Amino acid sequence: MKTVKILMTVAALATVWGCSTATDEQTGTENGLATTMPPSAGYTFEHADRPAWGVDLTGNDAAPDWGNFNMSLYENSMYVLVTLQDELAAHATEADRMAVFIGGERRTQLAVPNFYDDGAVRYVLRIYGNSTDRNVRFTLQYYSVALKQLFSIGTEEKFVPEFTYGNIKDFVPPLLKGCKKFPVQNQLTVSLPDQPPFTPDNNDLVAVFVGDECRGVGVAGKPFNVFRTSETEKLTLRYYSVQQAGIYTMAQTVTAETDITLAF
């Protein structure tokens, strides 16, 4: 029996933003740290402990009934090694399962997670098919018990049993794109200006919010995922500074951009 590999495409990401303006002057010091803001400041500031910002991916999906599977019906197979995205790996449990479908028909045994010392979570999938499986749509499904959410993504690929390509390594499919709770997902890179009102630290955080609900967390200068329920949702930016021991809530408006420089 020969093995072949499967390729899945990663969707491009973009983002849309909006927020309000604040111009109140605040002056003084607290614990030796300056809290002075000029009248034209593009932010408000408050001292705070390091925040535990995170996106709530919890859903209400029941565990799926993926039906029966009979491997004897197929003459060929292929292997795929899938690595979970970090946001999903953080919630992974032994009870989670993953499977591949062709035309709504399950073509794998239910794969179980493999946990690694570096925090990675991987699944080994053996996909079965016949020589008649050409230009078919593969669907990868993953159920998270902790999040009570079924993630599903698909792509059209060829099943080519005549060739052996071997395993795919470091393959991280965008399963979060299959999250029904946040159907609109984008990627944002937030940069600091040349002279921010604090000394940047590697442990600083930047995040986006809808109201007080976190929709994405990252660090300055590196892209991170942003989750929205619709294209019209308005989001604001917050920045936690280790040096100032507090949170800057930005007043600038961001629209249809994937890169932004904070305006202090």
Side-chain angles (χ1 to χ4, degrees):
M1 188 175 291
K2 301 178 179 179
T3 60
V4 296
K5 79 173 181 180
I6 178 177
L7 297 178
M8 290 187 177
T9 57
V10 178
L13 303 172
T15 190
V16 179
W17 306 88
C19 65
S20 59
T21 308
T23 58
D24 292 339
E25 181 176 10
Q26 300 179 19
T27 60
T29 60
E30 182 177 339
N31 297 326
L33 298 175
T35 60
T36 301
M37 292 181 288
S40 60
Y43 61 87
T44 58
F45 175 83
E46 62 177 339
H47 287 292
D49 294 333
R50 180 180 175 84
W53 288 333
V55 181
D56 182 6
L57 296 169
T58 306
N60 56 8
D61 295 335
D65 180 3
W66 278 330
N68 299 319
F69 176 73
N70 184 355
M71 70 179 69
S72 66
L73 298 176
Y74 309 102
E75 58 192 30
N76 297 288
S77 66
M78 57 202 293
Y79 285 93
V80 179
L81 176 62
V82 172
T83 300
L84 285 185
Q85 292 170 281
D86 290 342
E87 293 94 332
L88 295 177
H91 303 281
T93 71
E94 294 282 357
D96 296 349
R97 294 293 181 267
M98 184 179 291
V100 170
F101 295 79
I102 296 177
E105 178 184 16
R106 179 156 63 91
R107 293 295 188 89
T108 64
Q109 302 282 15
L110 295 181
V112 299
N114 298 281
F115 296 87
Y116 293 79
D117 291 339
D118 62 358
V121 181
R122 297 186 175 93
Y123 288 78
V124 179
L125 295 160
R126 185 176 184 178
I127 307 171
Y128 290 84
N130 295 315
S131 57
T132 54
D133 290 320
R134 304 286 183 168
N135 297 314
V136 295
R137 183 171 181 81
F138 289 84
T139 300
L140 177 66
Q141 292 191 3
Y142 166 68
Y143 183 73
S144 169
V145 172
L147 296 176
K148 295 183 180 179
Q149 181 117 213
L150 176 65
F151 300 85
S152 180
I153 58 172
T155 186
E156 186 169 302
E157 298 290 346
K158 293 182 179 180
F159 191 101
V160 189
E162 290 86 357
F163 296 93
T164 299
Y165 293 100
N167 294 341
I168 295 178
K169 296 181 179 179
D170 300 322
F171 175 50
V172 188
L175 280 164
L176 285 169
K177 295 292 289 184
C179 175
K180 296 187 292 294
K181 184 176 182 179
F182 298 115
V184 179
Q185 296 174 28
N186 311 102
Q187 202 165 57
L188 177 70
T189 300
V190 176
S191 300
L192 293 173
D194 291 337
Q195 295 182 325
F198 51 81
T199 301
D201 187 279
N202 289 336
N203 292 311
D204 287 356
L205 296 173
V206 63
V208 294
F209 289 79
V210 173
D212 288 326
E213 182 183 1
C214 182
R215 294 297 185 83
V217 185
V219 296
K222 295 183 179 180
F224 61 91
N225 291 327
V226 175
F227 300 83
R228 293 182 291 160
T229 60
S230 71
E231 293 280 358
T232 60
E233 274 193 322
K234 303 298 183 181
L235 296 98
T236 56
L237 290 156
R238 299 181 191 179
Y239 189 96
Y240 175 74
S241 165
V242 171
Q243 188 264 336
Q244 287 285 58
I247 298 171
Y248 294 84
T249 299
M250 308 307 299
Q252 68 198 101
T253 298
V254 186
T255 58
E257 296 183 42
T258 57
D259 299 275
I260 182 173
T261 299
L262 295 180
F264 289 98

